[in-house]
Amino acid sequence: MLNPCTPDFLATLPAGTVRAPDARHLDEPRGRWTGQAGGVALPRSVDEVAQVVRACAAARVGIVPWGGGTGLVGGQVMPGGPAPLLLSLERMAGLRGAWAEESAMAVEAGMTLARVQAAAEGIGGMFPLTLASEGTATIGGNLATNAGGTHVLRYGNVRALCLGVEAVLADGSVHHGLTRLHKDNAGYALRDLLIGSEGTLGIITAATLRVVPRPAEVAVALLAVPSPAAALALLALAEGRLPGLVSAFELISGVGLGFLAETMPEVRVPLVAPWSVLVELGLPAALPAAAAMEGLAMAAAEAGLATDAVIAASGVQAAQFWAVREAIPLANRRIGAVSSHDISLPLSALPAFIDRADAAIAGIGAFRVNCFGHLGDGNLHYNVFPVAGRSRADHEGQREAVKTAVHDLVAAMGGSVAAEHGVGRLKVADLERYGDPAKLAAMRAIKAALDPLGILNPGAVLRQG
Amino acid sequence: MLNPCTPDFLATLPAGTVRAPDARHLDEPRGRWTGQAGGVALPRSVDEVAQVVRACAAARVGIVPWGGGTGLVGGQVMPGGPAPLLLSLERMAGLRGAWAEESAMAVEAGMTLARVQAAAEGIGGMFPLTLASEGTATIGGNLATNAGGTHVLRYGNVRALCLGVEAVLADGSVHHGLTRLHKDNAGYALRDLLIGSEGTLGIITAATLRVVPRPAEVAVALLAVPSPAAALALLALAEGRLPGLVSAFELISGVGLGFLAETMPEVRVPLVAPWSVLVELGLPAALPAAAAMEGLAMAAAEAGLATDAVIAASGVQAAQFWAVREAIPLANRRIGAVSSHDISLPLSALPAFIDRADAAIAGIGAFRVNCFGHLGDGNLHYNVFPVAGRSRADHEGQREAVKTAVHDLVAAMGGSVAAEHGVGRLKVADLERYGDPAKLAAMRAIKAALDPLGILNPGAVLRQG
């Protein structure tokens, strides 16, 4: 059993590292939970992080690592149990190094993703992880949750962009793993294990990251497609014509565009259709963007995979197209979802999933479904809303049934109910219900081995033992 | 303590799965060790693998998983200790499924890499892992060692090409992880942990793999470069001009070309220089190969980064260029290395490393160094040979000093002494010497948690406790 974080305990932490928690430390974006904390530690160095962790281990006080607070599954808030210590990395936000000639940099965990992107630009490249919350989310939180976003199709999740990590383990030892190697098979993939473990196996304090060359030419278009199946065929067409050069492929539902018209009429929508895709190509200088996108749009039209297309004629217009896609989550929030689902499926199962999920939801009641997102990764946000004139409160009693119907179907079709946001505290029971039993047993064994006292982010990912 | 694999024990295994070991099961390519085994189990299904593992756990008999036997670090042979059971996956070599429309396939672990490549071609794509031993090496062994090869620069190590694994864990439970998802954050990265664990944490029995589109146009050239530093600048130039389209970038040393002339005069070498690079571009149809490569070669010449170039005019010629690169390891074997090193370094450290390593080696004695390999990944094979007229036997007493000098320097410069071949049994002591202590402690804790009896590949990666 853990002990609460008390004033007496706080007095044992390194001088100048402790504060009372602010509201931002205890709230989370979806407003589901309010966290609690005996205090917030704000260490200034990896040594201070290690001291804090050792103190927590000695006193058996739980630690909730805190990045930018933007997580959507409650990994950063602990609403019940003995009050934990929040450990914020916000004072460790420096650039440790940058190597333009090898397209790499080393950053501290508390740096916001936007500043990481700027640092990459500073050495003439690009850090391709792109998220709506990038101005607030930190790279440490991104790594802890193996963040995804809109450019995974081309560049992978953040795990694929990380060369090495420095991390404090549960006994206060420091893993000095800030290597800049593209091939290293010297032992188990501890880096990959820590990434995505949501602070339950160690606290990432810094990371070495890949920087990629910025494509000379970028083309963005919105294409109306007859169906999700046609959208997938269009993706295959694009990948076949331009292998490795399709940077983003996002599905947009007409329902989402309706939400925009309803709640954010100021957003200009250049193409309205029941289904459309936003396609981004990143091309070398030798391959002019306009011609490449026009060729793709024409081939798509000839194959019956696109019924309409608008191609951005400038960078400003490209940004407007992206603004449509990026406004959809905000419009969703204004409408108020009954239940939101961050799911992934095998690509070829997506069209059937959408049909079957729609039918299952319709069997529960009258809803509007906004199904959108990272089609190229098989990762959709399948979100269920009240019909016009009704509110989420009217469906309080159906929320669980909706979620279960969607998640059961995802699991039955070989998908994941925790695609890019992670498990946090929201999906612990889902993981128990849908997870592979042998994997769950292995996860519990790993957790017990690396954090035998259970002090690291108690109750996140795995139920506290 | 483990027990030996005896005839009585073999009698407890599933009927029809046991044979006596052949020579191929006990030899390894470098001839350093001869393995031993009480028997070989050749299960036909994952259930039979699980039965074998459960029997081994009950009797505390060690298991050495065996793929194609091509590993270069002794991970597949156990020369001492209680005789283990060899577990060969050779009868599990089927294609479980192929999904052309989503560029994925599921294969059993015993399928050779060449057959995996053919299966990918069968659905219109390409499996980009490319190794000299691909006709014999199995995908299970590739995954167990996180194999690299010549196309990592563009497509990543095999870990990046694997979507999911089926694996038998040390208690005989089966992890059913053959998902085909590009985003899945439902719990810890068990897949990534099993990949590269060299059979010490579980036995991979099948995997789902990514298939990538085959580039429409392929361009191959050999370029003479003034120095390794110039080669790196040329790589940056190529990546900047053609982001994401450079498929391979291999360094070739004039010493290696000399070995070819000495031992394999039948190999036609189109370009002889103290340092050269083999560059492969994989391009879309819209970007003709010849023009792209000529443009790159011209830009390189103008920047002083290339002093000579030959561009393959046909697929046949491209294959001849690759044959030069691929013959070098064979020529090395004919010369007979005093010590071979599979190392990686931060890219920007490579030129200084080569200079400093050459100086250190010269301080030990008179040698020839053939330093070649996957420059784009920072992964070199820095191999040390006798001068003409002397043999490796003449340097028996210096081998350890040579190895230590190279490895110490690699470690001091932030590199890895186990870049792509893994640790096996060859580099257990190196890992102890150079590995991060916190990582090593975490690895030991993970091993004890997932294989408490220590039956899985005893003594590989980590010293048997």
Side-chain angles (χ1 to χ4, degrees), chain A residues 101-102 145-146 149 174-176 183-186 188 200 241 284 344 348 374 377 379 416 418-420 436 438-439, chain B residues 102 145-146 149 174-176 183-186 188 200 241 284 344-345 348 374 377 379 416 418-420 436 438-439:
Chain A
E101 69 280 24
E102 63 183 71
T145 57
N146 186 30
V174 180
H175 167 44
H176 295 286
K183 275 184 180 168
D184 180 14
N185 280 328
Y188 303 158
T200 65
R241 289 173 67 95
S344 62
S348 63
H374 320 300
D377 313 318
N379 173 207
S416 170
E420 65 169 359
D436 176 62
K439 175 173 173 177
Chain B
E102 63 184 71
T145 57
N146 187 28
V174 180
H175 167 44
H176 295 286
K183 275 185 180 166
D184 181 14
N185 279 329
Y188 302 158
T200 64
R241 290 172 66 95
S344 62
L345 284 141
S348 63
H374 319 302
D377 314 317
N379 173 207
S416 170
E420 66 169 359
D436 175 61
K439 176 174 174 177

Side-chain angles (χ1 to χ4, degrees), chain B residues 266-434:
Chain B
E266 69 278 14
V267 176
R268 217 183 130 263
V269 178
L271 183 75
V272 177
W275 293 107
S276 53
V277 290
L278 185 155
V279 182
E280 182 181 294
L281 307 175
L283 303 165
L287 208 52
M293 189 62 97
E294 279 159 21
L296 174 62
M298 209 168 304
E302 276 166 21
L305 302 176
T307 54
D308 199 359
V310 283
I311 299 177
S314 67
V316 171
Q317 220 169 46
Q320 284 170 349
F321 289 13
W322 269 111
V324 173
R325 165 63 185 86
E326 282 161 3
I328 289 171
L330 198 53
N332 285 345
R333 218 165 288 175
R334 293 192 181 169
I335 297 284
V338 175
S339 189
S340 299
H341 313 96
D342 164 41
I343 58 167
S344 62
L345 284 141
L347 285 177
S348 63
L350 279 168
F353 165 79
I354 293 172
D355 288 345
R356 290 168 64 180
D358 287 355
I361 297 303
I364 296 171
F367 296 99
R368 291 183 289 183
V369 172
N370 185 12
C371 172
F372 68 101
H374 319 302
L375 189 71
D377 314 317
N379 173 207
L380 296 178
H381 301 302
Y382 186 92
N383 295 357
V384 180
F385 298 84
V387 293
R390 307 203 62 181
S391 79
R392 56 189 298 179
D394 298 330
H395 296 283
E396 202 59 52
Q398 292 169 307
R399 179 169 302 168
E400 198 60 27
V402 167
K403 190 198 82 169
T404 302
V406 174
H407 282 186
D408 280 359
L409 188 59
V410 167
M413 296 182 78
S416 170
V417 302
E420 66 169 359
H421 299 160
V423 175
R425 290 176 175 78
L426 179 64
K427 296 184 181 172
V428 172
D430 289 296
L431 193 60
E432 291 169 348
R433 180 180 172 101
Y434 303 112

Side-chain angles (χ1 to χ4, degrees), chain B residues 89-115:
Chain B
L89 281 294
E90 63 203 83
R91 284 157 108 184
M92 288 181 65
L95 182 68
R96 294 255 189 107
W99 297 268
E101 69 280 25
E102 63 184 71
S103 296
M105 58 188 181
V107 301
E108 289 186 327
M111 188 182 277
T112 64
L113 176 53
R115 287 198 49 232

Side-chain angles (χ1 to χ4, degrees), chain B residues 29 31 87 93 142 152 158 166 208 273 290 326 334 346 371 379 384:
Chain B
L87 180 70
N142 298 151
V152 171
V158 73
E166 175 190 87
T208 38
E326 282 161 3
R334 293 192 181 169
C371 172
N379 173 207
V384 180

Side-chain angles (χ1 to χ4, degrees), chain A residues 230-247:
Chain A
L232 284 168
L234 172 55
L235 171 64
L237 179 73
E239 290 272 17
R241 289 173 67 95
L242 299 163
L245 300 173
V246 183
S247 301

Side-chain angles (χ1 to χ4, degrees), chain A residues 133-311:
Chain A
S133 59
E134 60 201 25
T136 310
T138 64
I139 189 67
N142 298 150
L143 289 163
T145 57
N146 186 30
T150 50
H151 289 86
V152 171
L153 177 64
R154 177 158 180 174
Y155 298 104
N157 292 293
V158 73
R159 186 181 279 125
L161 298 169
C162 178
L163 296 169
V165 296
E166 173 189 87
V168 176
L169 305 183
D171 62 356
S173 64
V174 180
H175 167 44
H176 295 286
L178 289 185
T179 50
R180 307 197 308 275
L181 306 175
H182 295 269
K183 275 184 180 168
D184 180 14
N185 280 328
Y188 303 158
L190 183 61
R191 173 195 68 198
D192 295 329
L193 183 64
L194 290 171
I195 294 173
S197 70
E198 306 187 32
T200 65
L201 300 179
I203 296 165
I204 294 171
T205 51
T208 39
L209 303 173
R210 285 172 191 263
V211 173
V212 302
R214 182 175 287 283
E217 299 260 326
V218 174
V220 175
L222 290 165
L223 292 97
V225 293
S227 65
L232 284 168
L234 172 55
L235 171 64
L237 179 73
E239 290 272 17
R241 289 173 67 95
L242 299 163
L245 300 173
V246 183
S247 301
F249 198 89
E250 297 280 313
L251 182 69
I252 295 171
S253 158
V255 176
L257 299 179
F259 288 0
L260 278 183
E262 202 174 323
T263 67
M264 304 173 73
E266 68 279 13
V267 176
R268 216 182 132 265
V269 178
L271 184 74
V272 177
W275 293 106
S276 53
V277 291
L278 185 157
V279 182
E280 182 180 296
L281 307 175
L283 304 165
L287 207 52
M293 188 61 96
E294 280 159 21
L296 174 62
M298 209 167 304
E302 277 166 20
L305 302 175
T307 54
D308 199 358
V310 283
I311 299 177

